[in-house]
Amino acid sequence: TMGHAVLLYFDHQTEQSILNLRHALMAQGIPSMLYKVGDRPHISLAGFSNVDCNILISLVQEYANDIEPFNVQLSAIGTFPTDENVLFLSPTPTLQLLTYHQEFHRRLAKSKLISSPYYVPENWTPHCSVEMNIPDEQLPKAIEFYSKVFKPVIGQFQEIGVIEFQPIKSLAKWSLIPKTL
């Protein structure tokens, strides 16, 4: 099935740190689905199974002009209680991250665009997937490995984009520009 998502992307160094963690997992013999599909590390603001792409892209472009780069600290590892066996990094939920997310959803509502319930502010668990579809028998090994090697990652969100999936295809992206006084 075709879907769309709005993603916040990290600065190059942070992105590289996350990719290194993904590669370290592969070196442990755990297959990487996200590497295969060309997933770029990110945090999703919204996901859609059915959306008017033109309206979404124009809304995200307008939103990108209104926000600026902001700091993020990926401070914990986690998994979701689903069959997808996702291993993720969790950002410290700063007021700025939560406010930017809420504002984005306010704009979606105003444009009558309906995001997946997982991403609405009351349900959202901000996360950066490091890997998913980890075989059941390898998930405990992946978690144990990460709990030993993971150190908090401090970086910045510097871009926002809209993708189509599966396969992953970038439809549009914008750099977040610092506002000057």
Side-chain angles (χ1 to χ4, degrees):
T1 61
M2 187 70 62
H4 294 86
V6 177
L7 312 178
L8 280 174
Y9 294 113
F10 304 99
D11 61 275
H12 179 73
Q13 195 176 342
T14 302
E15 185 171 310
Q16 204 49 61
S17 299
I18 298 162
L19 290 172
N20 291 345
L21 284 169
R22 200 174 276 172
H23 289 293
L25 211 52
M26 288 163 54
Q28 294 296 305
I30 296 167
S32 177
M33 196 280 276
L34 292 178
Y35 179 73
K36 273 193 205 98
V37 299
D39 173 73
R40 187 175 164 202
H42 63 273
I43 288 183
S44 301
L45 288 179
F48 307 87
S49 53
N50 191 357
V51 71
D52 181 323
C53 267
N54 295 327
I55 294 174
L56 181 62
I57 287 171
S58 135
L59 183 142
V60 175
Q61 182 172 16
E62 198 176 286
Y63 180 71
N65 291 329
D66 292 341
I67 68 171
E68 48 190 327
F70 62 105
N71 295 336
V72 59
Q73 178 171 329
L74 298 166
S75 49
I77 61 171
T79 62
F80 289 115
T82 64
D83 293 338
E84 280 118 6
N85 288 355
V86 176
L87 183 60
F88 63 82
L89 303 179
S90 191
T92 302
T94 61
L95 186 58
Q96 190 164 35
L97 176 61
L98 298 174
T99 303
Y100 276 174
H101 177 254
Q102 203 161 22
E103 169 59 20
F104 182 69
H105 278 265
R106 193 186 64 71
R107 292 177 186 212
L108 286 176
K110 218 167 127 185
S111 295
K112 308 223 180 326
L113 297 179
I114 311 291
S115 172
S116 152
Y118 290 126
Y119 297 100
V120 296
E122 306 76 58
N123 298 337
W124 189 50
T125 300
H127 68 282
C128 171
S129 297
V130 178
E131 198 46 73
M132 64 190 299
N133 296 334
I134 297 172
D136 289 344
E137 67 282 358
Q138 289 185 301
L139 186 60
K141 175 183 175 181
I143 294 167
E144 185 183 353
F145 175 71
Y146 263 46
S147 64
K148 286 187 173 58
V149 302
F150 175 73
K151 299 280 178 278
V153 178
I154 296 171
Q156 239 191 8
F157 289 115
Q158 292 190 338
E159 290 181 318
I160 190 169
V162 178
I163 63 159
E164 176 182 284
F165 61 90
Q166 297 283 4
I168 295 173
K169 180 178 155 198
S170 176
L171 300 180
K173 69 175 184 277
W174 300 270
S175 293
L176 302 180
I177 310 296
K179 308 292 181 258
T180 52
L181 295 175

